[in-house]
Amino acid sequence: MGRYATEPENPTKSCKARGSDLRVHFKNTREAAQAIKHMHLRKAMKYLKDVILKKQIVPFRRYNGGVGRKAQAKNHHAAGSQGRWPKKSAEILLELLKNAESNAEVKMLNTDALVIDHIQVNAAAKIRRRTYRAHGRINPYMSSPCHIEIILTEKDDAVPKAEDEKEKKKVSQKKLKKQKMKQALQGGE
């Protein structure tokens, strides 16, 4: 069990999950992970299921060379409206989220209040294969697997501020002096 890139602020209110050397494209997975970062667990799971069904798109922001433009990507304000539906990446991330959710249930956390606090995708060691080319040559045929780590944190519901009396409007020193002078003049008559 290796170390995570970061540790949660409150370990009792958070849970972790990770996958190593996963046979899924690093670049696609990185973009999908960035799309679900800071989402609530339920919303992220629904989003990834929609990506698999091509109902929602993953905006490609960093690794976007040669990525086609799609109308759905405009909803995410992706530069150049670039996006894709990386099915395999979405499936792997969905499995990891389910794993993290079951880890949360073991720790007796409220699964409805879980938020993806940290998600990181690192490139793993490439797997070498070879492809045969014309005139007896051989070229590399590499795969780009990745490591993924997720930390879910239980967020407290935002407590609304108690409504106090109307806050007194701040008055400048100059205005206060004017008011005092007016009262002194009126009181003097």
Side-chain angles (χ1 to χ4, degrees), residues 23-121:
R23 283 294 291 272
V24 60
H25 294 305
F26 161 69
K27 291 180 180 182
N28 291 350
T29 310
R30 185 264 173 200
E31 297 292 353
Q34 289 304 306
I36 63 169
K37 197 175 198 173
H38 302 302
M39 269 190 196
H40 280 276
L41 178 65
R42 297 276 173 250
K43 187 178 174 188
M45 290 175 111
K46 185 181 182 321
Y47 173 75
L48 290 172
K49 286 174 185 170
D50 285 349
V51 167
I52 293 166
L53 298 172
K54 294 194 175 184
K55 288 182 179 176
Q56 289 199 59
I57 200 164
V58 172
F60 274 54
R61 293 190 164 96
R62 178 176 294 173
Y63 300 111
N64 57 3
V67 175
R69 297 182 297 182
K70 307 285 185 291
Q72 281 184 18
K74 287 191 282 188
N75 300 336
H76 295 278
H77 306 292
S81 301
Q82 291 174 296
R84 282 182 177 165
W85 299 274
K87 186 178 180 211
K88 194 172 177 183
S89 297
E91 287 168 351
I92 298 272
L93 285 169
L94 201 54
E95 285 174 25
L96 266 175
L97 287 176
K98 285 178 185 170
N99 187 318
E101 184 183 13
S102 61
N103 292 346
E105 286 170 2
V106 169
K107 289 180 89 172
M108 302 291 194
L109 297 175
N110 179 9
T111 53
D112 293 326
L114 289 174
V115 173
I116 300 170
D117 197 38
H118 167 78
I119 185 164
Q120 181 173 312
V121 181

Side-chain angles (χ1 to χ4, degrees), residues 88-174:
K88 194 172 177 183
S89 297
E91 287 168 351
I92 298 272
L93 285 169
L94 201 54
E95 285 174 25
L96 266 175
L97 287 176
K98 285 178 185 170
N99 187 318
E101 184 183 13
S102 61
N103 292 346
E105 286 170 2
V106 169
K107 289 180 89 172
M108 302 291 194
L109 297 175
N110 179 9
T111 53
D112 293 326
L114 289 174
V115 173
I116 300 170
D117 197 38
H118 167 78
I119 185 164
Q120 181 173 312
V121 181
N122 292 337
K126 292 193 172 193
I127 297 172
R128 294 190 74 94
R129 289 186 294 167
R130 55 197 198 169
T131 186
Y132 301 93
R133 307 307 297 264
H135 310 295
R137 292 176 301 123
I138 293 173
N139 279 4
Y141 206 67
M142 314 281 266
S143 72
S144 305
C146 61
H147 310 304
I148 309 171
E149 59 183 52
I150 298 174
I151 297 177
L152 302 179
T153 307
E154 191 178 270
K155 293 287 183 198
D156 300 326
D157 293 331
V159 179
K161 226 179 187 180
E163 288 188 34
D164 293 336
E165 301 162 23
K166 286 187 179 178
E167 287 187 30
K168 293 179 182 175
K169 196 173 178 184
K170 289 187 178 178
V171 184
S172 67
Q173 293 287 325
K174 191 175 182 180

